[in-house]
Amino acid sequence: MRSFFILFLSFALLLASSSEKARVQFLASKVERSGSIVTAEGSVIVYYKDLILQAERVVYDIDRSVMDLFGNVSLTKGTEYALLSDHVHLDLKNERDLFSDYFLTGFETQLWAKGKKAERIDKKLELEKAFISSCDVECPDWHIEFSSVEYNLTTKWMDIWNPTFYIRKTPVFYLPYIGTSMEKKRKSGLLRPSFGVSDRDGFIFDQPLYLAPDPQWDLQITPQYRVDRGAGIYTTFRFVDTPDSGGYVKAGYFRTKQSYVEDYDLKNRSHYGMELKYERPKVFTSAYGDDTDGLYVDITYLNDPDYINLQATTTAELADSSQVQSRVNYYYNTQNNYAGVYGKYFIDTSLSDGERRETFQNVPIIQLHHYQNRLFGWNALQYSADYRFNNYFTESGKSIQFQEVNLPLTFYTSFFDDYFKFSVSENLYYSYSAYRHMDETLKANGVESDYYSLFRNYHTLDFYSDLARSYGKEFHTMQLRVTYNKPSFSSEKGDTIEEISVLRSPRENLNMSVINYLYGAEGEEYLYYRITQPILYEPLEEADLAFKRYGDLEQEIRMKFMKHYEFYTDLFFSYYLHSVSAATSYIKYSKSLYDIMLNHFYKETLKDGRTSDFFSMNGTYRSEAGNDWYANVAYDNLNEKVSRWGVGIHFFRNCWDLDIGVRDEIKPILTSAEEADSIHNVTLYFKINLVPFGEYQHAFEQEL
């Protein structure tokens, strides 16, 4: 052993002194040198730069810096790739390598390749007549055979010529060329195309172009072609301006063929729009301070729901109505105060241009709030203040300025060692509405004044108790509360109109509630029960309905039992209907292999007589093979029909996953009558993800 290491060290020093540019170290059972030729045999290990090579026999020409390895050759290059081969030829001086009968695997790409001949020239690796995969080597679920591949080790870009995709041993499809990046960083170029077939629109093709010239922004341009309908283009500009903030700007235009417009009676031939979304916390504040602030922007302009629907790839992305709301919110929060400036803008594409001009927008909304705090340093006496300003306006020039102030002063006390608590509040409420350029509207409503003001003082008495007790290993908490609101003084001037609701202070009422929680031995909640009963002393609405003394009795229950089951219901009982007026319920079963949920929603509205009643069910089964089988269905109990359904299966494997299914879709559209309509489709979809190439998805639509 001693002579072996001496032999190793001597040859390492000799080779290092012979060539500074090619430092080669050998570890072998036998090493011989004849002139400039070094021959090593018997479990040879060679170290060169970031290469580690093993072979049965190695011949190295020191002068030419050429090395040949024979028999069970293995090569590892840093963290980039590893290779097995029968013969490897390395030209260390010219950075050119040849591999025969090789097996190659990339550590970063997760791909492996197998073939007869491969060559590396500097930073480019070329493979000929081979196949690649990321699945099990012995029996891969998928692989790609090709005539040649060029892979740039620096840019991580791979060019594949004449690829044929196989599932097991069955060829599925052929392409003349595929170019893709193996790097996880953003890179400019063509993204994967998307294909689909629609009963109305025919063959659908999208080809995105991706540009990423800067780490802080990128741009995606997606031309779209629908054979039977027309063509369009969509762009998305994404950006980040700080480590915590970012957003995107989206715009698109689609031009529909005139024949398609006439066949389906569309309102618009062109569908276009623009979106801006942006979020930024800490606009003016620091991460190290107590104050916080934030900006949220969500603005959408469109002329038609099809601007959204033509881009959608999932049901969740479809426009669910003809109405769109834009919002801009900014807030600044301190320990004692809160300030917010908001805005809401509404677009209803089903309205005519004249009707849109009469739509009230809500910009700006200003809120100033002082959190509850001690008065005169006395803990038992607390006060707070709230101010709100709303500006409503229409494009035709109408406007309403609505302001309100709420000033509560509350006294807290407790009795019997905090078993019984009591608070009394004096609340001052004032609101003022000013109407501008609304003479015709005021006259139509029989209103003579151009303003309305309300001042109201009301009392609030709150009796409550928080109790807790253990029963062995279990624990029970209960809160009993009775709250009474009583207006004491009210002064009204001017007139109200339907366009705005001004009454924010409570009318005289009494509200009683009991809340219970039960916890198990490990602290887990297994029962929640809440019951609430309001009693009204003056009507909440001045509608045609008769005054109802007792509000709906509400009972909310959540039970978790047998580890995997959960039952929930929130039920409202009407004394005047002598039945349930509203209910939301579900029962859920959740286990490692199953997730099943049955939902029911019911609501009856006294004012307009409308009733909603439907069931829905969702289920997922996770098989031991690693697949998710899922289904959902919704049933309209009033119309006695299925309103929505979908079934599918999601296969998960180490080297791929596939989601395939059928779903029921309803897409809103606009007709020439300027009314919202919809298209009812059944869609067959599949989405496949091949590691590491990424995701491909396609859909086929059939109108019902």
Side-chain angles (χ1 to χ4, degrees):
M1 179 64 68
R2 181 182 177 189
S3 60
F4 171 80
F5 279 109
I6 291 174
L7 184 64
F8 160 70
L9 290 171
S10 63
F11 271 97
L13 293 171
L14 176 64
L15 295 174
S17 61
S18 299
S19 175
E20 282 298 321
K21 294 183 179 180
R23 292 179 178 272
V24 181
Q25 295 178 335
F26 288 85
L27 186 63
S29 300
K30 180 181 178 181
V31 180
E32 295 180 349
R33 176 170 177 173
S34 177
S36 64
I37 304 299
V38 176
T39 303
E41 296 180 348
S43 302
V44 184
I45 301 177
V46 181
Y47 297 95
Y48 173 73
K49 292 184 178 179
D50 60 346
L51 289 177
I52 301 175
L53 305 103
Q54 299 182 59
E56 295 177 0
R57 180 170 174 265
V58 177
V59 178
Y60 178 52
D61 188 329
I62 299 174
D63 293 342
R64 295 171 54 222
S65 295
V66 173
M67 183 184 302
D68 284 279
L69 299 92
F70 304 92
N72 297 321
V73 181
S74 70
L75 179 153
T76 303
K77 181 174 175 57
T79 59
E80 294 182 18
Y81 62 86
L83 177 138
L84 300 176
S85 177
D86 288 337
H87 173 232
V88 173
H89 175 83
L90 304 178
D91 187 339
L92 306 180
K93 184 177 181 180
N94 298 310
E95 294 285 334
R96 183 173 179 270
D97 307 329
L98 296 173
F99 314 101
S100 300
D101 294 322
Y102 63 87
F103 175 84
L104 175 68
T105 181
F107 298 130
E108 295 180 353
T109 65
Q110 304 178 52
L111 284 171
W112 58 263
K114 191 174 182 181
K116 292 291 183 181
K117 182 182 178 182
E119 183 177 8
R120 181 188 71 88
I121 302 176
D122 194 14
K123 294 298 182 180
K124 289 187 178 180
L125 184 63
E126 299 180 2
L127 313 178
E128 291 185 7
K129 295 182 180 179
F131 62 89
I132 57 176
S133 180
S134 61
C135 297
D136 179 70
V137 176
E138 296 296 329
C139 185
D141 291 338
W142 67 266
H143 70 274
I144 298 175
E145 295 187 4
F146 51 83
S147 60
S148 64
V149 161
E150 292 183 5
Y151 179 60
N152 191 305
L153 297 170
T154 302
T155 63
K156 312 298 183 186
W157 181 263
M158 180 181 290
D159 295 302
I160 308 175
W161 299 95
N162 300 304
T164 302
F165 178 76
Y166 284 77
I167 296 180
R168 294 294 175 95
K169 296 182 179 180
T170 305
V172 177
F173 63 83
Y174 162 85
L175 291 173
Y177 168 79
I178 296 177
T180 185
S181 175
M182 296 291 104
E183 195 172 25
K184 295 181 180 179
K185 296 180 180 179
R186 303 174 311 146
K187 186 181 291 290
S188 299
L190 292 175
L191 299 181
R192 299 173 188 88
S194 175
F195 306 93
V197 176
S198 168
D199 182 50
R200 276 194 174 201
D201 298 355
F203 180 73
I204 304 168
F205 175 71
D206 290 356
Q207 177 55 73
L209 170 64
Y210 183 69
L211 302 174
D214 189 274
Q216 290 188 275
W217 64 270
D218 58 44
L219 177 67
Q220 182 173 321
I221 304 172
T222 307
Q224 182 184 101
Y225 180 64
R226 296 175 178 248
V227 172
D228 295 337
R229 179 164 185 169
I233 187 168
Y234 300 92
T235 61
T236 302
F237 175 76
R238 288 173 286 258
F239 62 92
V240 292
D241 54 335
T242 74
D244 300 314
S245 62
Y248 66 81
V249 179
K250 211 176 201 180
Y253 178 86
F254 191 94
R255 182 73 167 174
T256 301
K257 296 179 180 179
Q258 185 61 38
S259 57
Y260 188 97
V261 174
E262 295 171 356
D263 290 343
Y264 296 104
D265 192 28
L266 298 184
K267 176 185 177 182
N268 300 309
R269 184 178 180 185
S270 298
H271 316 285
Y272 53 85
M274 178 175 287
E275 302 166 67
L276 168 62
K277 288 195 177 181
Y278 178 72
E279 287 187 66
R280 179 171 181 175
K282 307 178 186 66
V283 180
F284 300 110
T285 58
S286 167
Y288 306 102
D290 294 330
D291 297 351
T292 60
D293 71 334
L295 174 65
Y296 175 78
V297 179
D298 183 358
I299 298 174
T300 300
Y301 172 79
L302 50 75
N303 76 321
D304 195 302
D306 272 345
Y307 161 73
I308 296 174
N309 294 334
L310 291 170
Q311 302 176 71
T313 58
T314 66
T315 304
E317 295 174 349
L318 294 174
D320 54 8
S321 74
S322 60
Q323 299 177 354
V324 174
Q325 176 181 301
S326 297
R327 293 174 296 165
V328 177
N329 298 335
Y330 174 77
Y331 75 91
Y332 194 101
N333 188 53
T334 69
Q335 290 184 340
N336 296 318
N337 300 290
Y338 174 92
V341 181
Y342 324 116
K344 297 180 182 179
Y345 192 90
F346 304 91
I347 295 177
D348 190 338
T349 55
S350 66
L351 300 178
S352 65
D353 292 340
E355 290 172 323
R356 289 188 198 178
R357 286 177 54 81
E358 297 300 320
T359 300
F360 273 95
Q361 311 298 342
N362 194 185
V363 181
I365 306 167
I366 300 174
Q367 180 184 7
L368 302 175
H369 183 79
H370 180 72
Y371 291 117
Q372 195 172 66
N373 208 340
R374 296 178 298 175
L375 186 64
F376 307 123
W378 191 14
N379 288 332
L381 194 60
Q382 305 274 332
Y383 76 97
S384 64
D386 189 81
Y387 168 79
R388 297 185 184 222
F389 171 81
N390 286 265
N391 180 59
Y392 300 92
F393 69 93
T394 67
E395 293 182 12
S396 63
K398 299 177 182 177
S399 68
I400 302 172
Q401 285 80 44
F402 173 48
Q403 303 179 67
E404 56 183 347
V405 179
N406 199 0
L407 299 171
L409 178 65
T410 307
F411 173 76
Y412 296 91
T413 189
S414 62
F415 306 97
F416 309 114
D417 261 350
D418 284 341
Y419 277 97
F420 179 75
K421 299 177 182 179
F422 168 73
S423 70
V424 56
S425 298
E426 285 295 319
N427 301 269
L428 299 177
Y429 175 82
Y430 177 76
S431 67
Y432 182 85
S433 303
Y435 314 130
R436 300 288 183 264
H437 310 296
M438 297 182 60
D439 296 343
E440 294 183 5
T441 303
L442 297 176
K443 186 177 181 181
N445 285 272
V447 174
E448 297 180 358
S449 303
D450 61 356
Y451 76 97
Y452 172 78
S453 68
L454 168 67
F455 176 77
R456 170 171 282 191
N457 165 237
Y458 63 95
H459 320 297
T460 299
L461 304 178
D462 195 13
F463 303 85
Y464 57 99
S465 180
D466 292 311
L467 305 174
R469 182 176 178 179
S470 61
Y471 297 89
K473 294 183 178 181
E474 298 186 341
F475 194 73
H476 175 218
T477 67
M478 179 171 63
Q479 184 185 83
L480 302 98
R481 184 180 291 270
V482 177
T483 303
Y484 175 68
N485 292 291
K486 171 65 177 177
S488 64
F489 173 78
S490 181
S491 173
E492 296 183 69
K493 296 180 180 179
D495 298 285
T496 61
I497 59 175
E498 293 182 357
E499 279 77 1
I500 188 169
S501 175
V502 296
L503 187 60
R504 301 293 177 89
S505 62
R507 304 248 176 144
E508 184 179 5
N509 68 84
L510 178 73
N511 196 66
M512 299 176 290
S513 66
V514 179
I515 302 176
N516 288 274
Y517 288 94
L518 283 172
Y519 300 92
E522 297 180 359
E524 76 283 1
E525 173 204 315
Y526 67 86
L527 177 64
Y528 163 78
Y529 176 66
R530 177 176 65 89
I531 183 170
T532 302
Q533 175 62 65
I535 300 176
L536 312 176
Y537 297 97
E538 52 182 319
L540 292 176
E541 299 182 17
E542 305 292 348
D544 296 333
L545 302 173
F547 170 54
K548 310 299 183 184
R549 170 72 66 186
Y550 297 100
D552 290 352
L553 175 68
E554 181 184 4
Q555 296 189 76
E556 185 180 17
I557 302 172
R558 179 173 60 243
M559 292 189 299
K560 299 177 182 180
F561 54 97
M562 297 174 62
K563 292 185 179 181
H564 307 295
Y565 292 87
E566 182 178 330
F567 170 76
Y568 173 86
T569 184
D570 190 6
L571 183 147
F572 294 81
F573 179 82
S574 171
Y575 296 98
Y576 306 99
L577 294 173
H578 303 290
S579 64
V580 173
S581 60
T584 301
S585 307
Y586 70 77
I587 185 167
K588 180 168 64 175
Y589 174 73
S590 181
K591 206 175 179 180
S592 58
L593 297 180
Y594 298 93
D595 276 323
I596 302 173
M597 179 180 282
L598 175 64
N599 301 273
H600 176 241
F601 176 82
Y602 176 85
K603 186 172 184 180
E604 184 171 351
T605 307
L606 286 173
K607 186 175 181 179
D608 54 18
R610 294 182 180 179
T611 301
S612 300
D613 185 5
F614 62 85
F615 291 90
S616 65
M617 186 172 182
N618 304 278
T620 301
Y621 167 66
R622 289 177 285 273
S623 68
E624 295 181 357
N627 307 322
D628 283 1
W629 301 77
Y630 58 88
N632 63 80
V633 62
Y635 181 77
D636 188 332
N637 207 30
L638 295 179
N639 297 317
E640 298 183 341
K641 68 176 184 178
V642 175
S643 57
R644 173 178 53 83
W645 59 269
V647 294
I649 180 172
H650 200 160
F651 299 92
F652 294 94
R653 297 295 184 271
N654 290 331
C655 58
W656 61 274
D657 67 86
L658 171 66
D659 187 6
I660 184 169
V662 181
R663 63 179 176 236
D664 187 62
E665 291 181 339
I666 297 178
K667 298 181 179 181
I669 62 171
L670 287 181
T671 64
S672 60
E674 295 188 343
E675 295 180 353
D677 200 352
S678 61
I679 305 171
H680 195 178
N681 286 336
V682 171
T683 301
L684 170 66
Y685 62 92
F686 75 89
K687 183 164 55 177
I688 185 169
N689 177 36
L690 301 178
V691 178
F693 291 107
E695 185 179 279
Y696 299 84
Q697 58 183 7
H698 306 288
F700 306 91
E701 298 177 352
Q702 177 66 48
E703 185 179 357
L704 295 179

